[in-house]
Amino acid sequence: DADVTQTPRNRITKTGKRIMLECSQTKGHDRMYWYRQDPGLGLQLIYYSFDVKDINKGEISDGYSVSRQAQAKFSLSLESAIPNQTALYFCATSDKLRAEQFFGPGTRLTVL
Amino acid sequence: GQNIDQPTEMTATEGAIVQINCTYQTSGFNGLFWYQQHAGEAPTFLSYNVLDGLEEKGRFSSFLSRSKGYSYLLLKELQMKDSASYLCAVRVLPRSNDYKLSFGAGTTVTVRA
């Protein structure tokens, strides 16, 4: 079974709709991250959380919000989706001791 | 912010060696990662350098020079399955007990028979 899972894997929606992307992990890590990836731009950090009560904005948080419901769950919301939020979204986890981040399989989001 | 540069594309022949360079300008540097990402898939960890020098792991090696803000990933005995994007990522420590990764745009390596 995958250690980091994301749902949905693919989503097509319309401008103005509210969308939630979910991430769950069984690795027992306390740190979780949301990234988006666009062709030619690499991975950009949206939000990150070092524990349930610690939420931090990343480089491109405008238009996004997050919720850390439990140590194992970290959700990303787009309150009112717009076409330039079309991208591949990755969730990642890490623990305090090791610097390595483990990535989920990604969610491909298309906003029409 | 962080400035991380790596070539966009590289092509090499099966069995050959390819070196992917990464240069960075950053404050609070606390280590450099290399990740491999096949098209449409998640990035997977390859290597981590925090001290100067060469780290070898099988066919892959990674080098770091902190004074020069420079790293490279060396892929030896290339195989077709090595065709992928290779991401350079810098770990920064903006505040005590806090770190995050900044990624380069990635280098797409194509291995030809």
Side-chain angles (χ1 to χ4, degrees), chain B residues 3-20:
Chain B
N3 191 13
I4 302 169
D5 292 315
Q6 50 182 130
T8 303
E9 296 180 332
M10 301 182 76
T11 301
T13 306
E14 194 174 16
I17 299 172
V18 70
Q19 177 173 315
I20 306 169

Side-chain angles (χ1 to χ4, degrees), chain A residues 44-65:
Chain A
Q44 297 174 274
L45 184 63
I46 306 172
Y47 270 95
Y48 59 106
S49 169
F50 283 179
D51 63 42
V52 175
K53 296 181 180 179
D54 180 67
I55 304 289
N56 304 279
K57 292 184 178 180
E59 306 156 1
I60 55 163
S61 59
D62 288 349
Y64 301 94
S65 62

Side-chain angles (χ1 to χ4, degrees), chain A residues 31 37 50 94 99-101 104, chain B residues 33 35 37 42 91 98-99:
Chain A
R31 301 173 178 219
Q37 187 174 40
F50 283 179
S94 68
E100 174 186 353
Q101 291 188 11
Chain B
F33 290 81
Y35 281 82
Q37 185 179 24
R91 176 185 179 189
D98 175 0
Y99 70 85

Side-chain angles (χ1 to χ4, degrees), chain B residues 51-72:
Chain B
L51 300 176
D52 289 351
L54 187 69
E55 294 280 343
E56 296 185 87
K57 188 185 294 185
R59 294 187 300 113
F60 295 177
S61 303
S62 57
F63 171 83
L64 175 66
S65 170
R66 290 172 295 171
S67 62
K68 296 181 179 178
Y70 168 70
S71 173
Y72 68 72

Side-chain angles (χ1 to χ4, degrees), chain A residues 6 26 29 41-42 44 47 51 59 64-65 72-73 87 92-93 95 99 111:
Chain A
Q6 292 182 232
T26 58
H29 289 169
L41 291 181
Q44 297 174 274
Y47 270 95
D51 63 42
E59 306 156 1
Y64 301 94
S65 62
K73 295 184 183 296
T93 74
D95 66 22
V111 183

Side-chain angles (χ1 to χ4, degrees), chain A:
Chain A
D1 289 339
D3 295 319
V4 185
T5 58
Q6 292 182 232
T7 56
R9 294 295 312 280
N10 289 281
R11 182 73 183 268
I12 300 173
T13 190
K14 295 182 179 179
T15 296
K17 294 291 187 181
R18 185 179 187 275
I19 297 296
M20 179 180 283
L21 309 183
E22 299 188 346
C23 177
S24 294
Q25 53 115 347
T26 58
K27 300 185 78 65
H29 289 169
D30 50 353
R31 301 173 178 219
M32 298 186 74
Y33 311 81
W34 275 106
Y35 293 90
R36 66 176 278 174
Q37 187 174 40
D38 299 276
L41 291 181
L43 287 159
Q44 297 174 274
L45 184 63
I46 306 172
Y47 270 95
Y48 59 106
S49 169
F50 283 179
D51 63 42
V52 175
K53 296 181 180 179
D54 180 67
I55 304 289
N56 304 279
K57 292 184 178 180
E59 306 156 1
I60 55 163
S61 59
D62 288 349
Y64 301 94
S65 62
V66 291
S67 173
R68 185 81 184 264
Q69 301 95 321
Q71 187 198 36
K73 295 184 183 296
F74 193 35
S75 300
L76 176 72
S77 293
L78 288 68
E79 296 301 325
S80 180
I82 56 177
N84 77 359
Q85 291 177 315
T86 293
L88 187 56
Y89 290 84
F90 286 103
C91 173
T93 74
S94 68
D95 66 22
K96 289 180 183 177
L97 297 178
R98 289 176 58 85
E100 174 186 353
Q101 291 188 11
F102 296 84
F103 287 81
T107 295
R108 187 167 296 280
L109 177 67
T110 302
V111 183
L112 302 176

Side-chain angles (χ1 to χ4, degrees), chain B residues 5-92:
Chain B
D5 292 315
Q6 50 182 130
T8 303
E9 296 180 332
M10 301 182 76
T11 301
T13 306
E14 194 174 16
I17 299 172
V18 70
Q19 177 173 315
I20 306 169
N21 296 325
C22 173
T23 59
Y24 62 89
Q25 292 176 308
T26 184
S27 56
F29 177 83
N30 201 254
L32 188 141
F33 290 81
W34 284 96
Y35 281 82
Q36 180 190 59
Q37 185 179 24
H38 286 99
E41 298 183 9
T44 55
F45 170 79
L46 286 178
S47 69
Y48 173 54
N49 295 68
V50 65
L51 300 176
D52 289 351
L54 187 69
E55 294 280 343
E56 296 185 87
K57 188 185 294 185
R59 294 187 300 113
F60 295 177
S61 303
S62 57
F63 171 83
L64 175 66
S65 170
R66 290 172 295 171
S67 62
K68 296 181 179 178
Y70 168 70
S71 173
Y72 68 72
L73 178 69
L74 195 68
L75 286 63
K76 304 175 201 174
E77 301 170 16
L78 280 172
Q79 302 176 8
M80 299 300 287
K81 66 178 181 180
D82 297 331
S83 292
S85 182
Y86 292 85
L87 312 178
C88 172
V90 172
R91 176 185 179 189
V92 295

